[in-house]
Amino acid sequence: MAAMAPGGGGSGGGGVNPFLSDSDEDDEEVAASEERRAGLRLGAGGGLDPGSAGSLSPQDPVALGSSVRPGLPGEAAAAAALGGSGETPARLSIDAIAAQLLRDQYLLTALELHTELLESGRELPRLRDYFSNPGNFERQSGTPPGLGAPGIPGAAGVGGAGGREPSTASGGGQLNRAGSISTLDSLDFARYSDDGNRETDERVAEHEVPLQERKNYKSSPEIQEPIKPLEKRALNFLVNEFLLKNNYKLTSITFSDENDDQDFELWDDVGLNIPKPPDLLHLYRDYGNHQVTGKDLVDAASGVEEDELEALTPVLGSLPPNLEASQSVENSLLVQKLEDKISLLNNEKWSLMEQIRRLESEMDFLKNEQFATPAVCERVQLCADPSPHKDSDESGQSAVVHSSDKGKSKDTHLSISDEVDSSIPKENSPHSVPSREKEGVPSSSSSSKNAVHFDKPNRKLSPAFHQALLSFCRMSADSRLGSEVSRIADSEQSVMLMLGRCLPHIVPNVLLAKREELIPLILCTACLHPEPKERDQLLHILFNLIKRPDDEQRQMILTGCVAFARHVGPTRVEAELLPQCWEQINHKYPERRLLVAESCGALAPYLPKEIRSSLVLSMLQQMLMEDKADLVREAVIKSLGIIMGYIDDPDKYQQGFELLLSALGDPSERVVSATHQVFLPAYAAWTTELGNLQSHLIPTLLNKIEKLLREGEHGLDEHKLHMYLSALQSLIPSLFALVLQNAPFASKAKLHGEVPQIEVTRFPRPMSPLQDVSTIIGSREQLAVLLQLYDYQLEHEGTTGWESLLWVVNQLLPQLIEIVGKINVTSTACVHEFSRFFWRLCRTFGKIFTNTKVKPQFQEILRLSEENIDSSAGNGVLTKATVPIYATGVLTCYIQEEDRKLLVGFLEDVMTLLSLSHAPLDSLKASFVELGANPAYHELLLTVLWYGVVHTSALVRCTAARMFELLVKGVNETLVAQRVVPALITLSSDPEISVRIATIPAFGTIMETVIQRELLERVKMQLASFLEDPQYQDQHSLHTEIIKTFGRVGPNAEPRFRDEFVIPHLHKLALVNNLQIVDSKRLDIATHLFEAYSALSCCFISEDLMVNHFLPGLRCLRTDMEHLSPEHEVILSSMIKECEQKVENKTVQEPQGSMSIAASLVSEDTKTKFLNKMGQLTTSGAMLANVFQRKK
C-alpha cells in the first residue's frame, strides 16, 4: 500500500469514503498546524519570515545541506536571512522537524527518527500518533498511482517512492520502485456501513505500502498495530476453515470452544458486508504475486514539465520483443496511469482557476486600499506568479495585511496554496484553496468593483506586531473543517465543490431517521458538480443513505432521482444513475432491492429508448425470476408495466409475453394482483398498437386453455385455468376499447354540445384505473360519445364492415362456448370462473350486444324447445357446464323484470327436460349453487322450485325435492319457514313414494342448519312419521336414505336432536336389519349403518345413551357383519371394546366432564387401532371416506 501523499489524511480525492469520520483524517492537518505555529514563533521572535527558515524543506541549504535551487525567492530569502545577518539561526524544535518530515512524506526518515527517540526514551507524540494510525498508509481510489507532488519528484511515487531517501528519489528520470506486497494483515476486510461503521467501498482499488517501508514498520514490536475486532473474527473464520479442510478436527473443535462468541458455520456472522475472502492457502500462494519490477512501472509527477512526461516513454521501448503478453499488460497500466493523470490535472485546473480568481480579487482589493507594504506586495506577486516551479516549503505561507482605525485591528490572511498534492484531487485537499479568516477578504460576490473597505488604523505599529497580536485570536484554519469554514465560496461552481467535499463527512454523522433531509443537498450537488467521480460518489451516498429505507424514505429518494433525471437528461441518467441500481440488484436487504425495482420504473421515461428496452428490461426480468421477496417482485411487475408503456421495439413483444406468463403464474397473490392491475393493461395497450390483441394475445390464451382441457381429462390443473382465464377477463376492457376505436363511426365521434352521461353501472368496477375503458379511450366524455354511437350502430345499422366486432362475434364467442362445453360441470371453481368471465364480457359490451349476439349463440346450442322436453332421449348438452354458465354468466347480467323472467323460464325448462330424460342433474345443481351464493336470487330460485313442486310429473317433483337440499344452506330462516318447509311437507305427502324419499336429505339439511325450535320440531315429526308409519316398514330405499342422512348431518346437528332422535332410531334400524332375510338389502343397510356409526363416534355421547343405544346398536351391527363382511366385524369389535372400556373407567373420571368423556371415547389409541384395521379393508374408499371427518 502506497503511503499517503501530504494533506490526504487517508481520505483524499474523489475516493473520500462517505462513511469515514473526520477524526480519522486530522493527523496531517495537526502536523501542518504545528508547523505553521512554529513558523510564526520563529518569524516573530527571530526575525524570520514564516514559512521560509521556519519550514524545513527538502531543499533547505541550512537544514539539509543541499544546494539552493535557482529561481526560488523563498529559499533565497531564507538563506539571506540566516547567512547575511551574521546572527546564529534559531534552534528548531524536534516536533517542527517531525512535522516537516511527515508533511513532505519522508516517512522512513521520520520512522528512523521515531525509533531513535524511542530508544532514547524521548517519545514524540506526533510521530507516535502518526505511525500508530493505519489510515495514514492507505490510499483511496481518487489518487492515481505514480503521481507525486510537483517540484518534489520523489514525494509519492507509485508503489514505493516513499520507501527511498529523498535525495535518491529526486534524481529525475525513470525510477526503480520497490515492489509492494499484499498479505492478510494488509487486507482491510471492514467496510463502512451507512450507520457509520467501517466499510471499504468495493470500487476503491487495492493499494499497498511500499515493501521496504512495510518491513521496517512491521518489524518494530513497539509500533505493531493491535488487531481489530472484525479483523480477528475474519482471521478466526479463515483459520478454522483451514483446520477443517486439512483434517485438524480436534484442533478446530478446541479453537471453536475458545471462540464461543463466533459462529464458524456462517461467514455473515463475522459482521463484514463483503463476500468471503479466499482461504489461507490461496492467500499464501498469492503472497508473492504483487511484487513489481522497476521496468514495469514508472514514477510520474503531477507537474506539466515535458521531461517528466517523457519519462513514461522508456517503458515501452525497454520491453523485450518476445513478451507480447507482458507488453499488453504494461500498455494497459500505462493507459490507466495517463487517464488518472488527466483526471488529476483537470481537478487541479479547476482549483487553480479558482485560486487565480481569488488572488486577483485580493490584489485589486489591496490596490484600492493602498495599504500594501513592499513585503506584502512581493508576497502577493509571488503568489500570483504562474511559474510551475513552486516548492512545498512555500505552502501555508500567508501575506498579512494590517489595517486599524479607532483602536480596532483587522487582519486579513491571504493563504497561498503553492503545494500541488498529487494524492488527492485539488478541491479535496485542505490546503488546495486559499483560506481566509472570518474578518478576511470578501468572497466571490465581492468583485473588484464592489470591494469591501475597512477603516484604516491611525497607528504606527509594525506589521509584525499586528501579526503577533492577532495570533492570540484562537482561529483554526489549518484543519480540514477549519479550512472549509475559513473560505467562502465565490461562485456556483465553488459552492458545488465545497458541498462535494463536505457532504461525505456530514452524512455519517446525521441520525438515520433524519438522513432523508440530506437528499436535496446530495442531489443538487450531484447535478451540478463538474467532476464525474464526485458525482458518482454522491449518487452512491444517495442509494446507500439509509440501510433499510421504508416506504416514505424510498419515495423521497425516487422523487429525487426523477428530479435529477429531468435536470441532467438521458445520457447522464444512463451513465450515473443506472450503475447505482445495478450495484444493488442483489443486495442482501429487500428494502434496497425494492428501491432498485422502483427506480427502474420511475426512471423509465428519462432513459434512452435503447437502454429502456434492453438493459432495464433485462434487470427487471432477472429480479422477477430470481428475487425471493414478494414485495420486490411486486415492484418489479409495476416497473415492467411502466416499461411496457414506453417501449417501442416490436422485437421485444415476445419477451414481454413470456414475462406476462411468468408474472401470472407467480405463487404470490400480491404479484399476480399487480400483474392484473399494471403490467397486463400496459402490455395490452402496446399489443393493441402493434395489432396483436385479436391476432395473437387473446387467441394464444384461448389455445392454452383448450390445451389444458385436452390434457386434463383425468385431472384438470385448475390453477393454470384460473391464471389464463383471469388474464382474458382483464383483457376485456382493452378489447372493447379496440372495438370502439376501430368502429365505422369512430371518425364521427366529436365532442360538441352536451355530452351524454354514462350510467354508473354501465361497466363492471375495474380492478385498476388502467382497466377503466374511459382511461384507455382518453376521457369519460369521449367514451360517452362513442357509446351513444355504438348502441345506435348495433340497433339500427348492424355490424357490416366492423371487423374488430365481427371477430368477437364470429371467432371469440364460438370458441369460448366450445371451451365451456368441455369443462367439468362438477368443478365449482371452473364454473364460477367462466361465469364471471361471461358476466364481465356481456356487461362491458352492453345489453344490446348481449341480447343480439351472445344469447342467440347459446340458445342455438342448447335448443330448448317443447319437442325436446317430451323427448325421452334428452339433450346431451344440457348436462354440460354450458347450462350453469349461460344461466349465471349471461342471463344474470341485467336484472330487469323481463331478464328475470327469462332466467326463471330457462331454469324451469332445464329442470323439466333433465327430469323427464332421466339425465344427471349436475348442471342444474351447479346453476343453483352458483346463483344461491347471491341472496338476491333466493326468491327467484324458490319460484323455480315451486314450479317443480306443483308439476304434473313425479320426476320433476322429485328433482325439485332434491334441489331444496342445495338451497336450504344459504337461505335465511324466514324463507325456510315460509317457503321451503311448506313445500317439503307438501312433497312428503306426495302419492309417489320416490318423491317422499327425495325430501329426506332436505329435511336433514334443515336439522343441520336451522336453530328455530318450531322448525326443528316440524321436521322431527315428519322424519318420525317416515320411521314409525307402518306403510314404510318395508321401504328399503327410504331406510337407506334416512341412514345416509343421519350419518351426514348427525355430527353437526343440534345435540338434543342427535341424542333423542338420531341415535335411538339408528339402534332400531340396526335391530330391524338383523331380521332382514335378503342378504343384499341387509348388507346395504349394514354398510350405511357402519358409516353413520363411524361418523357419530367422534361426537360426545352421554353415559346413558352409550349404554342404552350406542353400544347395543354397534352389537347389532356386528352381528350383521359377522355373516356378511368379516373385515368390518373386526373394526366393530375394536370399537365396541374401546367404548365398553371407557364406560367402565368413567367412574374414576370427573362426572359430567363432557370434554374428558369425549376425549376418552375417541382417544388416540382408538383412532390408531381403528385406522390400522381400516387399512386392511377391501371395501371401496368412497364407503369409508367420512369415517373421521366432521362436517364443516
Side-chain angles (χ1 to χ4, degrees), residues 42-230:
L42 288 172
L48 298 178
D49 186 41
S52 57
S55 59
L56 188 62
S57 71
Q59 294 83 12
D60 195 325
V62 177
L64 299 177
S66 61
S67 60
V68 179
R69 290 176 59 183
L72 298 177
E75 296 176 4
L82 292 174
S85 63
E87 297 179 3
T88 301
R91 179 180 175 83
L92 289 175
S93 67
I94 294 178
D95 186 73
I97 295 173
Q100 187 63 30
L101 289 174
L102 295 177
R103 183 175 185 78
D104 292 336
Q105 290 291 290
Y106 300 124
L107 299 181
L108 291 181
T109 306
L111 181 59
E112 188 172 348
L113 175 61
H114 178 52
T115 306
E116 291 177 355
L117 290 174
L118 280 175
E119 292 173 353
S120 63
R122 296 183 297 161
E123 184 180 29
L124 194 62
R126 178 189 304 280
L127 293 176
R128 178 196 64 206
D129 295 342
Y130 184 86
F131 286 111
S132 63
N133 182 5
N136 294 324
F137 305 98
E138 298 174 358
R139 183 170 61 190
Q140 301 291 339
S141 61
T143 307
L147 298 181
I152 311 175
V158 176
R164 294 183 298 275
E165 293 297 332
S167 58
T168 305
S170 61
Q174 184 173 349
L175 302 178
N176 292 328
R177 310 173 333 130
S180 60
I181 181 169
S182 175
T183 60
L184 191 60
D185 61 354
S186 70
L187 296 175
D188 185 8
F189 292 134
R191 298 175 167 220
Y192 299 102
S193 70
D194 53 359
D195 290 325
N197 298 325
R198 292 192 55 119
E199 179 184 51
T200 301
D201 193 341
E202 293 175 358
R203 297 166 299 166
V204 176
E206 179 84 20
H207 298 294
E208 300 153 351
V209 174
L211 175 61
Q212 186 61 40
E213 180 179 325
R214 176 174 290 279
K215 288 179 179 177
N216 293 340
Y217 176 64
K218 293 297 181 183
S219 63
S220 177
E222 296 86 0
I223 58 175
Q224 178 67 44
E225 179 187 1
I227 189 169
K228 301 172 186 175
L230 289 176

Side-chain angles (χ1 to χ4, degrees), residues 644 647-657 682-697 738 742:
M644 290 301 151
I647 200 169
D648 55 3
D649 183 4
D651 295 338
K652 298 295 179 181
Y653 171 80
Q654 189 60 34
Q655 183 180 356
F657 182 68
Y683 183 73
W686 185 35
T687 305
T688 302
E689 292 180 26
L690 296 175
N692 291 340
L693 185 64
Q694 293 181 334
S695 63
H696 177 266
L697 184 55
L738 174 66
N742 293 337

Side-chain angles (χ1 to χ4, degrees), residues 34 99 137 171 220 226 235 307 326 463 584 610 615 677 734 761 829 879 906 960 981 999 1064 1112 1119 1134 1168:
E34 292 294 335
F137 305 98
S220 177
L235 287 171
D307 56 344
S326 175
Q584 305 207 22
E610 299 83 5
L615 176 61
Q677 292 178 15
S734 299
T761 58
T879 62
F906 174 74
V981 173
T999 61
T1119 302
S1134 176
T1168 305

